[in-house]
């Protein structure tokens, strides 16, 4: 008896130790650890012993390997491959006639006819994972493995999904020298020096992680592009990456520097109307397709922040895009032309520029051009209203650009779940096609009948062992993939899923992790840019507060340009009495914002210059509301840290410490933001922070004197 007890005791501790084994986060959400619930495990074991793979092809083979790998990790038994359906518990193949007995294959299910779609159905003791094509099968397999990791029942499983957007893409701002612009997770994972011979295992794991969340395209080079990428040796390197991505259903894109015909081709001009220039792009594109037959196309930043473009030759963005589109058309490639442009002359309101420039060109782009628009009109600020081009530009496919990296949202150290921000933007009503014309619906083409649809996310990964530097930033990569697959996804589901996949099923852990992700976005907005403030970060590196920034080479790079604090009040008047940026929105959306009394608080200072003592809907004066929000934001972070501390012993020590150290930094930095900004704005408001509240630790001069010469992610200056 004594021995038996000792034995039990030992087993308990071994289990605990195994469960809490140190973890460096490398495996992301694809951990495939053994199912922890014994009953569920037993049920899975009994029903998932054998698989028949009824298909072929490179991507199908990837799906096959993944399913075996997953099951062999999740279950204790070894899953067998069999050749006939009769012997199989799981059948993996193509949706079609043969499976018409499945309800998900029924004619009335529109999804099962779309590209990249899958169904998963349990029928008479067998589980069917079927795709409309190889990619569909791969996505179905990943979905099924996720279903098992989430320990959901398989008996009556009935899932039918098709991606809502065609192009689900990552944009890497990776430079050929290995640095990453706005990257906070180390250096670029692309080892251009050793490619094409050396294929880092990371490339494969990268492709696998992306495929697992439905990402099917990637642009591996920075939009601040280098024409060297088109030199023959670099094309060989890029082709080697494309070879790695192909079995995972991922297409390679490259960024195109508009002046490449001059720099590489030694031509005198890059004018899109010059026949020699046109010929250069045609030849270069043909060379590319010879090396990469499934090449996706070009992503272009032109005439923006010093990048070359067609306007240098008196040509429009459409003429520039069409030059490349014509070169790509014979091969089925697309041009993704960014709308993030602002002119050389300093404008009255930078927020208006992209709309003014691109609306005039609607209808002038070739069929294989997509215009990529940032979520808001300025530049990935913690909170922005939607970009006015969504729903307004109707004759051109418009795709979304989100930032997954957190240039303006705490960079490498802050835990900020971006999914809530994505959801807020995607669910905003543009009103452009009547009520309920959400951004999500504009993007999926259902309102515009666009054939090309897509979303891009500026990647947040690098050479950090756990890919994203800050462990919780993995949740942003995951959430981005989910939103690109289905822009109507719900953040709450995403948080819970990620929490379970990453940390297991312990209830308190799942609840805490989900709630940290859920609370963190609003908290960050509050301690950085509450009530619609924007662009008040440190100069250049955008790290930390810098509301005092007033001397830059352009006025619209300073903070004072955006917050316009003066003795009267605070905020940018974008109504008819100011820049009238509001008129770029549909009148019904504009109506929500145009009146200072009824404008939702989160956007008040984005659209209005509000007197300091003006009483808001909350009953507070503007000043008091500002103070409250800054304090509340910082306080939420302290609570987040406490909640995490309570998980000690429930999360392995390595990840526990990793997250805790970051939360400690975040707590300190949230207070820094709060104190620096309030002291700065107080100079204008001349109003007090309540005396019994924690007072700023330093004076304003101190905060203004801080410099960060080695901040990561700054644009390299060669
Ligand atoms: C790639 C912002 C960033 C730049 C970035 C630019 C863009 O201005 O600070 O680093 O450049 O956006 O999106 O092109």
């Amino acid at each position: 008896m004594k021995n038996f007890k000792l034995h039990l005791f030992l087993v308990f501790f071994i289990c605990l130790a195994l469960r809490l084994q140190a973890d460096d986060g490398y495996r992301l959400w694809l951990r495939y650890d053994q199912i922890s619930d014994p009953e569920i495990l037993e049920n899975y074991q009994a029903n998932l012993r054998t698989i028949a793979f009824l298909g072929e092809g490179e991507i199908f083979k990837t799906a096959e390997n993944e399913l075996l790998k997953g099951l062999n990790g999740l279950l204790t038994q070894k899953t067998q491959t069999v050749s006939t359906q009769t012997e199989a518990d799981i059948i993996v193949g193509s949706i079609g006639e043969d499976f018409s007995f499945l309800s998900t294959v029924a004619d009335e299910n529109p999804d099962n006819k779309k590209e990249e779609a899958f169904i998963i159905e349990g029928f008479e003791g067998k589980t069917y994972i079927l795709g409309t094509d190889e990619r569909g099968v791969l996505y179905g397999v990943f979905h099924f493995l996720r279903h098992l990791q989430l320990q959901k029942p398989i008996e009556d499983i009935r899932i039918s999904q098709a991606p809502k957007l065609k192009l689900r893409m990552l944009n890497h701002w990776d430079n050929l020298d290995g640095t990453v612009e706005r990257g906070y997770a180390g250096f670029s994972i692309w080892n251009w020096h050793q490619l094409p011979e050396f294929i880092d295992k990371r490339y494969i794991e990268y492709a696998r992680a992306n495929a697992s969340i439905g990402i099917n395209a990637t642009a591996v080079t920075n939009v601040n592009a280098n024409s060297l990428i088109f030199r023959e040796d670099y094309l060989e390197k890029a082709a080697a990456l494309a070879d790695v991505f192909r079995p995972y259903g991922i297409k390679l894109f490259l960024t195109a520097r508009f002046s490449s015909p001059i720099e590489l081709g030694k031509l005198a001009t890059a004018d899109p109307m010059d026949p020699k220039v046109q010929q250069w792009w045609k030849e270069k594109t043909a060379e590319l397709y010879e090396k990469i037959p499934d090449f996706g196309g070009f992503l272009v930043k032109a005439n923006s922040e010093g990048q070359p473009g067609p306007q240098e030759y008196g040509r429009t963005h459409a003429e520039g895009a069409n030059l490349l589109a014509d070169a790509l058309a014979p091969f089925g490639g697309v041009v993704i032309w960014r709308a993030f442009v602002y002119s050389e002359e300093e404008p009255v309101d930078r927020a208006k520029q992209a709309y003014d420039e691109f609306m005039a060109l609607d209808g002038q782009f070739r069929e294989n051009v997509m215009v990529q628009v940032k979520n808001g009109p300025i530049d990935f600020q913690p909170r922005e209203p939607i970009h006015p081009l969504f729903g307004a530009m109707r004759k051109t496919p418009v795709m979304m650009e989100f930032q997954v990296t957190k240039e303006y949202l705490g960079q490498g150290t802050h835990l900020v779940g971006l999914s809530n921000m994505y959801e807020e933007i995607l669910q905003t009503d543009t009103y452009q096609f009547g009520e309920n014309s959400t951004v999500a619906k504009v993007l999926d083409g259902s309102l515009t009948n666009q054939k090309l649809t897509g979303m891009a996310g500026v990647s947040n990964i690098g050479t950090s062992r756990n890919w994203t530097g800050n462990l919780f930033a993995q949740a942003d990569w995951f959430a981005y993939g989910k939103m690109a697959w289905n822009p109507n996804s719900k953040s709450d589901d995403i948080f819970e899923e990620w929490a379970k996949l990453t940390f297991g099923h312990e209830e308190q852990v799942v609840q805490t992790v989900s709630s940290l992700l859920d609370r963190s976005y609003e908290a960050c907005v509050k301690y950085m840019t509450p009530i619609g403030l924007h662009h008040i970060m440190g100069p250049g590196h955008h790290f930390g507060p810098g509301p005092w920034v007033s001397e830059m080479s352009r006025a619209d790079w300073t903070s004072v340009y955006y917050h316009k604090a003066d003795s009267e009040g605070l905020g940018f008047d974008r109504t008819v009495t100011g820049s009238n940026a509001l008129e770029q929105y549909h009148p019904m959306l504009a109506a929500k914002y145009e009146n200072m009394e009824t404008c939702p608080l989160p956007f008040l200072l984005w659209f209005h210059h509000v007197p300091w003592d003006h009483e808001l809907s909350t009953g507070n004066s503007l000043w008091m509301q500002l103070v409250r929000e800054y304090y509340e934001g910082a306080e939420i972070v302290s609570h987040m840290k406490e909640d995490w501390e309570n998980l000690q012993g429930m999360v392995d020590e390595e990840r526990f410490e990793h997250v805790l150290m970051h939360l400690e930094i975040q707590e300190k930095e949230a207070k820094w933001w709060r104190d620096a900004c309030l002291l700065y704005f107080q100079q204008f408001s001349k109003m007090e922070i309540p005396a019994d509240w924690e007072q700023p630790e330093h004076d304003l001069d101190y905060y203004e004197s801080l410099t960060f010469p080695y901040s990561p992610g700054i644009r390299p200056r060669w």
Side-chain angles (χ1 to χ4, degrees):
M1 188 62 190
K2 208 171 153 197
N3 263 351
F4 179 70
K5 271 193 181 160
L6 186 72
H7 186 75
L8 264 186
F9 198 64
L10 274 176
V11 168
F12 176 76
F13 273 102
I14 291 170
C15 289
L16 200 71
L18 274 178
R19 189 166 62 85
L20 296 182
Q21 229 171 32
D23 193 312
D24 57 18
Y26 181 74
R27 291 180 298 160
L28 295 162
W29 48 85
L30 296 165
R31 297 155 62 79
Y32 300 153
D33 284 343
Q34 195 188 304
I35 299 291
S36 57
D37 184 307
E39 252 179 63
I40 296 176
L41 176 64
E42 199 186 321
N43 173 274
Y44 286 175
Q45 306 259 69
N47 291 296
L48 306 174
R49 288 158 310 181
T50 48
I51 317 181
F53 290 106
L54 310 175
E56 51 192 29
E58 215 176 8
I59 303 176
F60 191 88
K61 190 75 200 156
T62 309
E64 198 172 318
N65 292 340
E66 191 67 32
L67 189 55
L68 289 170
K69 180 186 167 101
L71 290 178
N72 289 335
L74 294 164
L75 310 180
T76 55
Q77 71 205 7
K78 190 141 178 66
T79 311
Q80 304 294 328
T81 311
V82 293
S83 47
T84 65
Q85 280 191 57
T86 356
E87 300 164 276
D89 292 333
I90 309 174
I91 289 122
V92 181
S94 308
I95 300 176
E97 291 275 293
D98 297 351
F99 299 105
S100 53
F101 55 88
L102 298 175
S103 64
T104 41
V105 177
D107 276 348
E108 60 271 20
N109 175 12
D111 276 356
N112 73 39
K113 290 174 192 65
K114 294 183 182 150
E115 282 174 17
E116 303 183 287
F118 66 82
I119 62 159
I120 307 175
E121 188 168 329
F123 185 76
E124 294 186 347
K126 296 185 190 298
T127 304
Y128 295 82
I129 308 174
L130 310 175
T132 45
D133 49 27
E134 283 185 72
R135 279 190 195 160
V137 174
L138 182 61
Y139 299 142
V141 160
F142 274 118
H143 191 97
F144 184 61
L145 287 169
R146 223 166 13 244
H147 188 90
L148 300 183
Q149 290 170 88
L150 296 170
Q151 307 195 357
K152 294 187 180 172
I154 50 171
E155 282 75 27
D156 297 318
I157 187 169
R158 191 158 298 159
I159 296 165
S160 169
Q161 284 196 16
K164 293 258 186 292
L165 305 183
K166 288 224 167 83
L167 204 58
R168 305 173 300 276
M169 186 175 196
L170 276 188
N171 288 180
H172 288 264
W173 287 357
D174 291 20
N175 300 306
L176 298 184
D177 69 354
T179 54
V180 181
E181 183 159 344
R182 312 307 177 186
Y184 311 102
F187 287 85
S188 171
I189 64 168
W190 319 126
N191 188 338
W192 294 105
H193 191 64
Q194 295 186 13
L195 279 165
E197 286 91 355
F198 182 75
I199 301 297
D200 195 321
K201 187 161 175 286
R202 272 210 171 213
Y203 306 156
I204 303 165
E205 293 299 333
Y206 162 86
R208 179 173 163 249
N210 279 327
S212 77
I213 46 175
I215 288 171
N216 65 0
T218 183
V220 292
T221 46
N222 192 352
V223 289
N224 288 329
N226 188 327
S227 49
L228 258 189
I229 193 67
F230 293 140
R231 207 175 68 180
E232 200 186 348
D233 52 341
Y234 275 94
L235 287 186
E236 301 283 350
K237 295 168 193 282
L241 286 179
D243 291 344
V244 174
F245 301 157
R246 195 168 299 115
Y248 287 88
I250 296 170
K251 276 192 180 186
L252 179 92
F253 282 69
L254 292 173
T255 48
R257 187 166 162 87
F258 201 76
S259 51
S260 298
I262 303 176
E263 288 143 13
L264 267 191
K266 305 292 171 221
L267 299 185
T269 176
D271 183 349
M273 296 304 160
D274 187 303
K276 283 204 200 95
V277 172
Q278 294 165 357
Q279 190 56 25
W280 188 87
W281 281 109
K282 283 195 174 133
E283 283 170 17
K284 189 44 80 182
T285 308
E287 186 189 342
L288 248 158
Y289 276 92
E290 209 172 287
K291 294 188 168 38
I292 311 172
D294 58 346
F295 179 64
F298 300 127
L299 167 63
V300 190
K301 170 175 176 178
N303 293 120
S304 170
E305 299 186 329
Q307 293 302 302
Q311 290 179 336
E312 278 153 50
Y313 309 96
R315 315 295 182 190
T316 66
H317 281 286
E319 286 165 328
N322 293 344
L323 162 76
L324 304 183
D326 289 344
L328 286 161
F331 307 97
V334 296
V335 176
I336 299 176
W337 195 268
R338 294 177 86 228
F340 178 70
V341 297
Y342 51 100
S343 66
E344 294 304 314
E345 298 98 58
E346 286 153 35
V348 180
D349 186 357
R350 195 178 113 187
K352 292 172 69 172
Q353 293 214 316
Y355 181 97
D356 285 346
E357 190 99 49
F358 278 80
M359 275 308 283
L361 301 175
D362 199 13
Q364 295 182 27
F365 292 95
R366 296 278 192 270
E367 271 187 2
N368 58 336
V369 177
M370 302 181 80
V371 170
Q372 182 167 300
V373 178
K374 287 189 181 182
N375 57 276
I378 297 286
D379 186 15
F380 300 134
Q381 294 305 294
R383 176 171 267 142
E384 296 198 31
I386 59 167
H387 201 294
L389 279 172
F390 292 118
M393 214 175 169
R394 296 173 179 207
K395 298 185 194 134
T396 317
V398 169
M399 68 186 269
M400 169 66 78
E401 179 173 334
F402 278 129
Q403 221 175 26
V404 189
T405 192
K406 289 203 262 269
E407 175 179 356
Y408 295 99
L409 286 115
Q411 305 194 348
T413 46
H414 296 207
L415 189 172
V416 181
L418 295 183
S419 190
N420 277 341
M421 182 184 79
Y422 301 153
E423 190 177 342
E424 178 177 303
I425 293 284
L426 292 166
Q427 294 311 320
T428 301
D429 202 338
T430 66
Y431 294 100
Q432 294 286 2
F433 300 82
E435 254 181 74
N436 202 13
S437 318
T438 58
V439 173
K441 286 191 184 166
V442 169
L443 292 180
D444 72 20
S446 54
L447 298 173
T448 50
N449 287 326
Q450 295 297 354
K451 284 192 216 75
L452 297 177
T453 56
M455 191 186 282
V458 180
S459 164
N460 64 348
I461 69 151
T463 47
S464 282
R465 177 69 191 158
N466 71 9
W467 299 89
T468 51
N470 187 315
L471 187 87
F472 267 75
Q474 291 182 359
D476 300 327
W477 184 6
F478 183 77
Y480 166 70
K482 291 270 178 173
M483 291 291 180
W485 178 271
N486 176 7
N488 287 318
S489 299
K490 298 274 162 280
S491 292
D492 287 349
D493 300 337
I494 293 176
F495 294 152
E496 191 187 322
E497 231 180 77
W498 183 81
K500 287 184 177 162
L501 296 172
T502 309
F503 289 105
H505 288 251
E506 189 87 50
E507 208 181 311
Q508 191 182 339
V509 177
V510 174
Q511 268 183 11
T512 306
V513 169
S514 312
S515 139
L516 292 181
L517 286 166
D518 192 29
R519 282 177 290 165
S520 53
Y521 171 58
E522 203 61 48
C524 174
V525 173
K526 285 189 164 148
Y527 66 70
M528 286 187 180
T529 53
I531 326 183
L533 285 172
H534 50 287
H535 213 297
I536 56 170
M537 289 72 191
H541 47 62
H542 300 154
F543 172 67
W548 45 82
V549 174
S550 59
E551 301 289 325
M552 300 282 286
S553 52
R554 300 176 57 118
D556 54 358
W557 283 352
T558 68
S559 302
V560 294
Y561 173 94
Y562 293 99
H563 63 63
K564 304 212 184 298
D566 56 22
S567 59
E568 301 282 308
L570 180 65
F572 199 131
D573 182 0
R574 292 194 164 103
T575 68
V576 69
T577 53
S579 77
N580 206 13
L582 256 183
E583 77 173 348
Q584 295 182 336
Y585 292 97
H586 187 277
M588 280 171 77
L589 185 56
K592 286 194 168 175
Y593 300 133
E594 75 191 345
N595 184 336
M596 197 192 289
E597 305 306 323
T598 50
C599 177
L601 278 191
F603 298 112
L604 186 62
L605 302 178
W606 187 285
F607 289 112
H608 298 275
H609 191 71
V610 182
W612 292 110
D613 58 1
H614 186 76
E615 190 182 314
L616 307 182
S617 51
T618 55
N620 295 315
S621 66
L622 170 66
W623 169 253
M624 229 11 244
Q625 185 70 25
L626 197 70
V627 174
R628 279 183 185 280
E629 296 215 4
Y630 269 114
Y631 272 77
E632 211 179 295
E635 206 179 307
I636 298 172
V637 177
S638 301
H639 292 313
M640 284 166 49
K641 196 190 82 184
E642 281 161 26
D643 292 352
W644 181 258
E645 278 166 338
N646 287 334
L647 296 187
Q648 185 155 27
M650 291 185 220
V651 170
D652 59 283
E653 207 179 318
E654 189 171 350
R655 289 187 297 172
F656 178 78
E657 288 299 333
H658 169 104
V659 174
L660 183 59
M661 285 188 282
H662 277 141
L663 282 168
E664 276 162 359
I665 300 174
Q666 186 175 4
E667 185 181 37
K668 209 179 66 195
E669 292 185 352
K671 287 186 181 174
W672 167 37
W673 264 96
R674 175 192 78 189
D675 296 343
C677 290
L678 285 175
L679 285 176
Y680 173 79
F681 292 128
Q682 194 174 36
Q683 302 177 106
F684 303 92
S685 77
K686 310 266 185 244
M687 294 159 106
E688 295 303 315
I689 298 171
D692 52 344
W693 294 15
E694 183 184 30
Q695 296 298 302
E697 207 181 325
H698 304 279
D699 62 12
L700 184 58
D701 285 347
Y702 167 83
Y703 294 116
E704 288 195 24
S705 72
L706 301 175
T707 58
F708 304 94
Y710 301 114
S711 301
I714 310 182
R715 189 175 306 166
R717 290 177 190 86
W718 287 289

